[in-house]
Amino acid sequence: SIRQDAKKVYAKERRSLKNHLNQQFEVTRPNEVWVSDVTYFLCKDIKFYICAIIDLYARRIVGYRIGKRNSTQLVKSTFKQAYESRKPAGQLLFHADRGSNYRSYAMCSYLREFGVIQSFSKAGVPYDNSVMESFFSSLKREELYRTKYRSEQELRAAIAEYIKFYNETRPHAKNGYKTPFKKEQEYYVNSKQNEKK
C-alpha cells in the first residue's frame, strides 16, 4: 500500500522529468531551444549565484541574473527577463538540470503558462547540459578567476561586461568562428531574403 503509492509518485516524477533534448544541441532557428543552469562564485567571502540562459542556435546568452540565493525566484526572473526580451514566436524547449529550483511547482507552472516544454538532464549526466557547463567554464577561466573584485558592484559589472563580450566580440567555433550576435544576425537577414523570393 505505502510502497505502491511511493512507486506511483516515483513513476510520475520520472515522467515529468523527461529529457526531451537528449544532447541534440544542433537546432535550426533562434528561440527553438534554450538551456540554463546556475553556478556560484565567492567574492569577499560571499557566495553569489549566477543563473544564465543560452539560446542553442548561436550559443547566445539571452538572459542572466545574479543573486545571493540559489532559489526558484532566481531562475524564474532570469527566464522572465529572457522571454520578455526575445518574445519567442514558435515552440520553445527549455532544458536544465534537476535542481529543485527548476523542478519547483512555481517554475514549472510558470513555464506552462507560456506553452514552454520543459526538459531535464538525466541524474548524474553533466554532458546533457554541456553547453551551459562550457559557458560557465569560460566565464570563470577568462574572467572571474583572473580578477580580485573589491566589491559586489565590481563583480556585477565584470559579469555584465563579459557577457556582452561573449555575445558580441568573442568568436565561437560552433558558429564557424562568428560571434553569437553575428550568427543570429545572418539568420534573420537570410530569413527576410527567403520571404521575398
Side-chain angles (χ1 to χ4, degrees):
S1 53
I2 295 174
R3 187 177 172 185
Q4 286 292 336
D5 288 345
K7 283 179 73 174
K8 285 178 184 177
V9 170
Y10 176 75
K12 185 178 179 182
E13 184 163 313
R14 285 283 298 241
R15 286 194 298 273
S16 67
L17 301 181
K18 189 171 179 181
N19 184 353
H20 295 281
L21 184 59
N22 201 27
Q23 298 186 27
Q24 298 300 310
F25 301 125
E26 301 296 322
V27 299
T28 59
R29 60 173 174 82
N31 301 322
E32 183 178 353
V33 180
W34 291 354
V35 295
S36 181
D37 201 357
V38 179
T39 191
Y40 72 88
F41 180 74
L42 280 172
C43 176
K44 310 290 284 184
D45 294 325
I46 299 170
K47 193 178 278 189
F48 290 92
Y49 292 93
I50 307 160
C51 178
I53 298 173
I54 291 177
D55 186 313
L56 280 186
Y57 178 74
R59 305 302 200 257
R60 183 174 183 173
I61 306 297
V62 295
Y64 81 96
R65 281 276 190 265
I66 304 164
K68 293 180 181 176
R69 291 182 60 233
N70 185 11
S71 63
T72 297
Q73 183 56 37
L74 177 65
V75 299
K76 186 178 172 182
S77 64
T78 308
F79 182 87
K80 183 181 179 185
Q81 176 201 47
Y83 199 88
E84 290 177 352
S85 169
R86 304 278 286 184
K87 298 179 174 61
Q91 181 66 70
L92 174 64
L93 180 73
F94 183 70
H95 182 85
D97 65 17
R98 297 187 177 208
S100 58
N101 41 10
Y102 290 103
R103 289 187 293 110
S104 71
Y105 176 81
M107 185 63 185
C108 293
S109 58
Y110 182 70
L111 294 177
R112 279 196 297 272
E113 286 178 27
F114 296 99
V116 175
I117 297 172
Q118 222 174 341
S119 173
F120 297 91
S121 296
K122 293 172 186 168
V125 185
Y127 301 109
D128 281 350
N129 209 2
S130 60
V131 175
M132 277 305 322
E133 300 283 348
S134 177
F135 166 71
F136 282 140
S137 175
S138 297
L139 169 65
K140 291 176 178 178
R141 186 178 65 252
E142 297 174 10
E143 174 57 43
L144 299 182
Y145 292 156
R146 296 169 63 120
T147 311
K148 191 170 184 178
Y149 304 103
R150 293 171 294 182
S151 66
E152 177 180 340
Q153 289 73 22
E154 273 194 9
L155 173 65
R156 288 179 177 272
I159 292 171
E161 188 61 32
Y162 181 82
I163 288 174
K164 181 178 171 62
F165 160 76
Y166 188 90
N167 280 339
E168 300 177 12
T169 306
R170 186 183 187 275
H172 201 297
K174 160 65 180 60
N175 295 336
Y177 295 96
K178 297 168 187 170
T179 67
F181 178 79
K182 180 69 173 173
K183 172 80 171 177
E184 268 198 3
Q185 199 175 40
E186 286 182 356
Y187 172 86
Y188 289 115
V189 168
N190 291 336
S191 294
K192 284 182 180 179
Q193 288 174 348
N194 291 335
E195 284 173 9
K196 291 177 183 177
K197 290 178 182 178

PDB file of all heavy atoms in Angstrom, residues 134-147 149 158 162-163 165-166 170-171:
ATOM      1  N   SER A 134      30.123  24.504 -20.459  1.00  0.00           N
ATOM      2  CA  SER A 134      31.210  25.117 -21.223  1.00  0.00           C
ATOM      3  C   SER A 134      31.224  26.633 -21.048  1.00  0.00           C
ATOM      4  O   SER A 134      32.284  27.245 -20.883  1.00  0.00           O
ATOM      5  CB  SER A 134      31.070  24.758 -22.703  1.00  0.00           C
ATOM      6  OG  SER A 134      32.060  25.395 -23.467  1.00  0.00           O
ATOM      7  N   PHE A 135      30.031  27.250 -21.074  1.00  0.00           N
ATOM      8  CA  PHE A 135      29.971  28.709 -20.888  1.00  0.00           C
ATOM      9  C   PHE A 135      30.475  29.108 -19.507  1.00  0.00           C
ATOM     10  O   PHE A 135      31.286  30.037 -19.378  1.00  0.00           O
ATOM     11  CB  PHE A 135      28.553  29.245 -21.081  1.00  0.00           C
ATOM     12  CG  PHE A 135      28.417  30.653 -20.565  1.00  0.00           C
ATOM     13  CD1 PHE A 135      29.020  31.713 -21.242  1.00  0.00           C
ATOM     14  CD2 PHE A 135      27.738  30.927 -19.382  1.00  0.00           C
ATOM     15  CE1 PHE A 135      28.941  33.015 -20.749  1.00  0.00           C
ATOM     16  CE2 PHE A 135      27.654  32.216 -18.885  1.00  0.00           C
ATOM     17  CZ  PHE A 135      28.255  33.262 -19.573  1.00  0.00           C
ATOM     18  N   PHE A 136      30.007  28.429 -18.464  1.00  0.00           N
ATOM     19  CA  PHE A 136      30.440  28.784 -17.109  1.00  0.00           C
ATOM     20  C   PHE A 136      31.940  28.575 -16.940  1.00  0.00           C
ATOM     21  O   PHE A 136      32.610  29.339 -16.243  1.00  0.00           O
ATOM     22  CB  PHE A 136      29.656  27.990 -16.070  1.00  0.00           C
ATOM     23  CG  PHE A 136      28.266  28.505 -15.819  1.00  0.00           C
ATOM     24  CD1 PHE A 136      27.205  27.630 -15.635  1.00  0.00           C
ATOM     25  CD2 PHE A 136      28.003  29.872 -15.761  1.00  0.00           C
ATOM     26  CE1 PHE A 136      25.924  28.097 -15.398  1.00  0.00           C
ATOM     27  CE2 PHE A 136      26.722  30.346 -15.521  1.00  0.00           C
ATOM     28  CZ  PHE A 136      25.677  29.458 -15.337  1.00  0.00           C
ATOM     29  N   SER A 137      32.467  27.541 -17.584  1.00  0.00           N
ATOM     30  CA  SER A 137      33.905  27.302 -17.540  1.00  0.00           C
ATOM     31  C   SER A 137      34.664  28.470 -18.173  1.00  0.00           C
ATOM     32  O   SER A 137      35.665  28.943 -17.627  1.00  0.00           O
ATOM     33  CB  SER A 137      34.229  25.997 -18.278  1.00  0.00           C
ATOM     34  OG  SER A 137      35.625  25.797 -18.345  1.00  0.00           O
ATOM     35  N   SER A 138      34.176  28.960 -19.309  1.00  0.00           N
ATOM     36  CA  SER A 138      34.820  30.108 -19.980  1.00  0.00           C
ATOM     37  C   SER A 138      34.711  31.366 -19.136  1.00  0.00           C
ATOM     38  O   SER A 138      35.674  32.121 -19.009  1.00  0.00           O
ATOM     39  CB  SER A 138      34.158  30.352 -21.346  1.00  0.00           C
ATOM     40  OG  SER A 138      34.345  29.247 -22.188  1.00  0.00           O
ATOM     41  N   LEU A 139      33.538  31.601 -18.564  1.00  0.00           N
ATOM     42  CA  LEU A 139      33.334  32.782 -17.713  1.00  0.00           C
ATOM     43  C   LEU A 139      34.316  32.797 -16.549  1.00  0.00           C
ATOM     44  O   LEU A 139      34.937  33.827 -16.251  1.00  0.00           O
ATOM     45  CB  LEU A 139      31.890  32.788 -17.191  1.00  0.00           C
ATOM     46  CG  LEU A 139      31.548  33.796 -16.084  1.00  0.00           C
ATOM     47  CD1 LEU A 139      31.677  35.228 -16.588  1.00  0.00           C
ATOM     48  CD2 LEU A 139      30.129  33.543 -15.553  1.00  0.00           C
ATOM     49  N   LYS A 140      34.487  31.664 -15.904  1.00  0.00           N
ATOM     50  CA  LYS A 140      35.380  31.595 -14.741  1.00  0.00           C
ATOM     51  C   LYS A 140      36.850  31.668 -15.154  1.00  0.00           C
ATOM     52  O   LYS A 140      37.644  32.396 -14.547  1.00  0.00           O
ATOM     53  CB  LYS A 140      35.106  30.321 -13.943  1.00  0.00           C
ATOM     54  CG  LYS A 140      33.760  30.350 -13.237  1.00  0.00           C
ATOM     55  CD  LYS A 140      33.460  29.039 -12.528  1.00  0.00           C
ATOM     56  CE  LYS A 140      32.126  29.118 -11.787  1.00  0.00           C
ATOM     57  NZ  LYS A 140      31.773  27.850 -11.116  1.00  0.00           N
ATOM     58  N   ARG A 141      37.207  30.932 -16.194  1.00  0.00           N
ATOM     59  CA  ARG A 141      38.607  30.875 -16.635  1.00  0.00           C
ATOM     60  C   ARG A 141      39.072  32.204 -17.245  1.00  0.00           C
ATOM     61  O   ARG A 141      40.169  32.661 -16.990  1.00  0.00           O
ATOM     62  CB  ARG A 141      38.766  29.743 -17.651  1.00  0.00           C
ATOM     63  CG  ARG A 141      40.205  29.479 -18.077  1.00  0.00           C
ATOM     64  CD  ARG A 141      40.301  28.325 -19.042  1.00  0.00           C
ATOM     65  NE  ARG A 141      39.644  28.607 -20.310  1.00  0.00           N
ATOM     66  CZ  ARG A 141      38.500  28.068 -20.706  1.00  0.00           C
ATOM     67  NH1 ARG A 141      37.863  27.216 -19.941  1.00  0.00           N
ATOM     68  NH2 ARG A 141      37.975  28.382 -21.881  1.00  0.00           N
ATOM     69  N   GLU A 142      38.228  32.826 -18.045  1.00  0.00           N
ATOM     70  CA  GLU A 142      38.612  34.027 -18.781  1.00  0.00           C
ATOM     71  C   GLU A 142      38.363  35.320 -18.014  1.00  0.00           C
ATOM     72  O   GLU A 142      38.924  36.349 -18.359  1.00  0.00           O
ATOM     73  CB  GLU A 142      37.863  34.076 -20.118  1.00  0.00           C
ATOM     74  CG  GLU A 142      38.219  32.925 -21.046  1.00  0.00           C
ATOM     75  CD  GLU A 142      37.373  32.894 -22.312  1.00  0.00           C
ATOM     76  OE1 GLU A 142      36.637  33.878 -22.570  1.00  0.00           O
ATOM     77  OE2 GLU A 142      37.450  31.899 -23.057  1.00  0.00           O
ATOM     78  N   GLU A 143      37.498  35.262 -16.985  1.00  0.00           N
ATOM     79  CA  GLU A 143      37.185  36.485 -16.251  1.00  0.00           C
ATOM     80  C   GLU A 143      37.259  36.325 -14.733  1.00  0.00           C
ATOM     81  O   GLU A 143      38.112  36.929 -14.080  1.00  0.00           O
ATOM     82  CB  GLU A 143      35.797  36.997 -16.658  1.00  0.00           C
ATOM     83  CG  GLU A 143      35.292  38.187 -15.843  1.00  0.00           C
ATOM     84  CD  GLU A 143      36.226  39.393 -15.874  1.00  0.00           C
ATOM     85  OE1 GLU A 143      36.727  39.715 -16.965  1.00  0.00           O
ATOM     86  OE2 GLU A 143      36.479  40.007 -14.806  1.00  0.00           O
ATOM     87  N   LEU A 144      36.401  35.515 -14.148  1.00  0.00           N
ATOM     88  CA  LEU A 144      36.233  35.530 -12.694  1.00  0.00           C
ATOM     89  C   LEU A 144      37.487  35.122 -11.926  1.00  0.00           C
ATOM     90  O   LEU A 144      37.816  35.732 -10.905  1.00  0.00           O
ATOM     91  CB  LEU A 144      35.058  34.630 -12.292  1.00  0.00           C
ATOM     92  CG  LEU A 144      33.691  35.028 -12.870  1.00  0.00           C
ATOM     93  CD1 LEU A 144      32.610  34.082 -12.361  1.00  0.00           C
ATOM     94  CD2 LEU A 144      33.337  36.466 -12.517  1.00  0.00           C
ATOM     95  N   TYR A 145      38.206  34.084 -12.400  1.00  0.00           N
ATOM     96  CA  TYR A 145      39.385  33.612 -11.679  1.00  0.00           C
ATOM     97  C   TYR A 145      40.613  34.497 -11.915  1.00  0.00           C
ATOM     98  O   TYR A 145      41.635  34.322 -11.258  1.00  0.00           O
ATOM     99  CB  TYR A 145      39.718  32.169 -12.084  1.00  0.00           C
ATOM    100  CG  TYR A 145      38.710  31.144 -11.626  1.00  0.00           C
ATOM    101  CD1 TYR A 145      38.583  29.918 -12.296  1.00  0.00           C
ATOM    102  CD2 TYR A 145      37.877  31.371 -10.529  1.00  0.00           C
ATOM    103  CE1 TYR A 145      37.661  28.964 -11.884  1.00  0.00           C
ATOM    104  CE2 TYR A 145      36.950  30.425 -10.121  1.00  0.00           C
ATOM    105  CZ  TYR A 145      36.844  29.232 -10.794  1.00  0.00           C
ATOM    106  OH  TYR A 145      35.930  28.288 -10.383  1.00  0.00           O
ATOM    107  N   ARG A 146      40.505  35.426 -12.851  1.00  0.00           N
ATOM    108  CA  ARG A 146      41.658  36.271 -13.187  1.00  0.00           C
ATOM    109  C   ARG A 146      41.663  37.606 -12.442  1.00  0.00           C
ATOM    110  O   ARG A 146      42.611  38.388 -12.558  1.00  0.00           O
ATOM    111  CB  ARG A 146      41.649  36.556 -14.693  1.00  0.00           C
ATOM    112  CG  ARG A 146      41.819  35.315 -15.546  1.00  0.00           C
ATOM    113  CD  ARG A 146      41.539  35.627 -16.996  1.00  0.00           C
ATOM    114  NE  ARG A 146      42.502  36.610 -17.503  1.00  0.00           N
ATOM    115  CZ  ARG A 146      43.325  36.385 -18.515  1.00  0.00           C
ATOM    116  NH1 ARG A 146      43.313  35.219 -19.127  1.00  0.00           N
ATOM    117  NH2 ARG A 146      44.143  37.311 -18.926  1.00  0.00           N
ATOM    118  N   THR A 147      40.592  37.881 -11.709  1.00  0.00           N
ATOM    119  CA  THR A 147      40.434  39.203 -11.093  1.00  0.00           C
ATOM    120  C   THR A 147      40.055  39.078  -9.624  1.00  0.00           C
ATOM    121  O   THR A 147      39.278  38.191  -9.258  1.00  0.00           O
ATOM    122  CB  THR A 147      39.335  40.005 -11.826  1.00  0.00           C
ATOM    123  OG1 THR A 147      39.569  39.958 -13.231  1.00  0.00           O
ATOM    124  CG2 THR A 147      39.300  41.453 -11.358  1.00  0.00           C
ATOM    125  N   TYR A 149      37.964  40.977  -7.123  1.00  0.00           N
ATOM    126  CA  TYR A 149      36.972  42.048  -7.082  1.00  0.00           C
ATOM    127  C   TYR A 149      36.900  42.670  -5.693  1.00  0.00           C
ATOM    128  O   TYR A 149      36.898  41.973  -4.692  1.00  0.00           O
ATOM    129  CB  TYR A 149      35.605  41.502  -7.504  1.00  0.00           C
ATOM    130  CG  TYR A 149      35.644  40.855  -8.864  1.00  0.00           C
ATOM    131  CD1 TYR A 149      35.660  39.464  -8.990  1.00  0.00           C
ATOM    132  CD2 TYR A 149      35.702  41.614 -10.023  1.00  0.00           C
ATOM    133  CE1 TYR A 149      35.722  38.857 -10.233  1.00  0.00           C
ATOM    134  CE2 TYR A 149      35.769  41.019 -11.271  1.00  0.00           C
ATOM    135  CZ  TYR A 149      35.784  39.640 -11.370  1.00  0.00           C
ATOM    136  OH  TYR A 149      35.857  39.050 -12.598  1.00  0.00           O
ATOM    137  N   ALA A 158      31.642  43.334 -13.990  1.00  0.00           N
ATOM    138  CA  ALA A 158      32.550  42.471 -14.749  1.00  0.00           C
ATOM    139  C   ALA A 158      31.777  41.365 -15.472  1.00  0.00           C
ATOM    140  O   ALA A 158      32.073  41.040 -16.624  1.00  0.00           O
ATOM    141  CB  ALA A 158      33.594  41.861 -13.818  1.00  0.00           C
ATOM    142  N   TYR A 162      31.535  40.840 -19.449  1.00  0.00           N
ATOM    143  CA  TYR A 162      31.967  39.584 -20.069  1.00  0.00           C
ATOM    144  C   TYR A 162      30.876  39.021 -20.966  1.00  0.00           C
ATOM    145  O   TYR A 162      31.160  38.538 -22.073  1.00  0.00           O
ATOM    146  CB  TYR A 162      32.360  38.551 -19.013  1.00  0.00           C
ATOM    147  CG  TYR A 162      32.821  37.258 -19.662  1.00  0.00           C
ATOM    148  CD1 TYR A 162      34.122  37.127 -20.136  1.00  0.00           C
ATOM    149  CD2 TYR A 162      31.928  36.195 -19.864  1.00  0.00           C
ATOM    150  CE1 TYR A 162      34.537  35.962 -20.783  1.00  0.00           C
ATOM    151  CE2 TYR A 162      32.340  35.037 -20.512  1.00  0.00           C
ATOM    152  CZ  TYR A 162      33.633  34.929 -20.964  1.00  0.00           C
ATOM    153  OH  TYR A 162      34.037  33.794 -21.621  1.00  0.00           O
ATOM    154  N   ILE A 163      29.632  39.073 -20.510  1.00  0.00           N
ATOM    155  CA  ILE A 163      28.532  38.532 -21.316  1.00  0.00           C
ATOM    156  C   ILE A 163      28.352  39.342 -22.600  1.00  0.00           C
ATOM    157  O   ILE A 163      28.104  38.774 -23.674  1.00  0.00           O
ATOM    158  CB  ILE A 163      27.238  38.451 -20.483  1.00  0.00           C
ATOM    159  CG1 ILE A 163      27.386  37.310 -19.459  1.00  0.00           C
ATOM    160  CG2 ILE A 163      26.007  38.251 -21.356  1.00  0.00           C
ATOM    161  CD1 ILE A 163      26.271  37.173 -18.473  1.00  0.00           C
ATOM    162  N   PHE A 165      30.802  40.868 -24.122  1.00  0.00           N
ATOM    163  CA  PHE A 165      31.956  40.421 -24.911  1.00  0.00           C
ATOM    164  C   PHE A 165      31.686  39.045 -25.534  1.00  0.00           C
ATOM    165  O   PHE A 165      31.965  38.813 -26.712  1.00  0.00           O
ATOM    166  CB  PHE A 165      33.194  40.383 -24.008  1.00  0.00           C
ATOM    167  CG  PHE A 165      34.330  39.530 -24.513  1.00  0.00           C
ATOM    168  CD1 PHE A 165      35.149  39.971 -25.545  1.00  0.00           C
ATOM    169  CD2 PHE A 165      34.592  38.292 -23.951  1.00  0.00           C
ATOM    170  CE1 PHE A 165      36.197  39.180 -26.015  1.00  0.00           C
ATOM    171  CE2 PHE A 165      35.638  37.490 -24.413  1.00  0.00           C
ATOM    172  CZ  PHE A 165      36.438  37.950 -25.455  1.00  0.00           C
ATOM    173  N   TYR A 166      31.133  38.132 -24.746  1.00  0.00           N
ATOM    174  CA  TYR A 166      30.856  36.767 -25.200  1.00  0.00           C
ATOM    175  C   TYR A 166      29.865  36.770 -26.364  1.00  0.00           C
ATOM    176  O   TYR A 166      30.027  36.037 -27.333  1.00  0.00           O
ATOM    177  CB  TYR A 166      30.296  35.958 -24.031  1.00  0.00           C
ATOM    178  CG  TYR A 166      30.136  34.482 -24.305  1.00  0.00           C
ATOM    179  CD1 TYR A 166      31.167  33.593 -24.040  1.00  0.00           C
ATOM    180  CD2 TYR A 166      28.941  33.972 -24.821  1.00  0.00           C
ATOM    181  CE1 TYR A 166      31.023  32.221 -24.282  1.00  0.00           C
ATOM    182  CE2 TYR A 166      28.791  32.608 -25.072  1.00  0.00           C
ATOM    183  CZ  TYR A 166      29.841  31.752 -24.799  1.00  0.00           C
ATOM    184  OH  TYR A 166      29.693  30.397 -25.042  1.00  0.00           O
ATOM    185  N   ARG A 170      33.465  37.817 -28.917  1.00  0.00           N
ATOM    186  CA  ARG A 170      34.217  36.563 -28.841  1.00  0.00           C
ATOM    187  C   ARG A 170      33.754  35.577 -29.921  1.00  0.00           C
ATOM    188  O   ARG A 170      32.587  35.181 -29.937  1.00  0.00           O
ATOM    189  CB  ARG A 170      34.005  35.942 -27.457  1.00  0.00           C
ATOM    190  CG  ARG A 170      34.818  34.696 -27.144  1.00  0.00           C
ATOM    191  CD  ARG A 170      34.400  34.202 -25.752  1.00  0.00           C
ATOM    192  NE  ARG A 170      35.205  33.106 -25.265  1.00  0.00           N
ATOM    193  CZ  ARG A 170      34.993  31.826 -25.541  1.00  0.00           C
ATOM    194  NH1 ARG A 170      34.023  31.483 -26.369  1.00  0.00           N
ATOM    195  NH2 ARG A 170      35.760  30.902 -24.997  1.00  0.00           N
ATOM    196  N   PRO A 171      34.633  35.169 -30.847  1.00  0.00           N
ATOM    197  CA  PRO A 171      34.231  34.200 -31.877  1.00  0.00           C
ATOM    198  C   PRO A 171      33.976  32.825 -31.254  1.00  0.00           C
ATOM    199  O   PRO A 171      34.604  32.455 -30.264  1.00  0.00           O
ATOM    200  CB  PRO A 171      35.425  34.174 -32.828  1.00  0.00           C
ATOM    201  CG  PRO A 171      36.580  34.646 -32.022  1.00  0.00           C
ATOM    202  CD  PRO A 171      36.033  35.588 -30.995  1.00  0.00           C
TER     203      PRO A 171
END
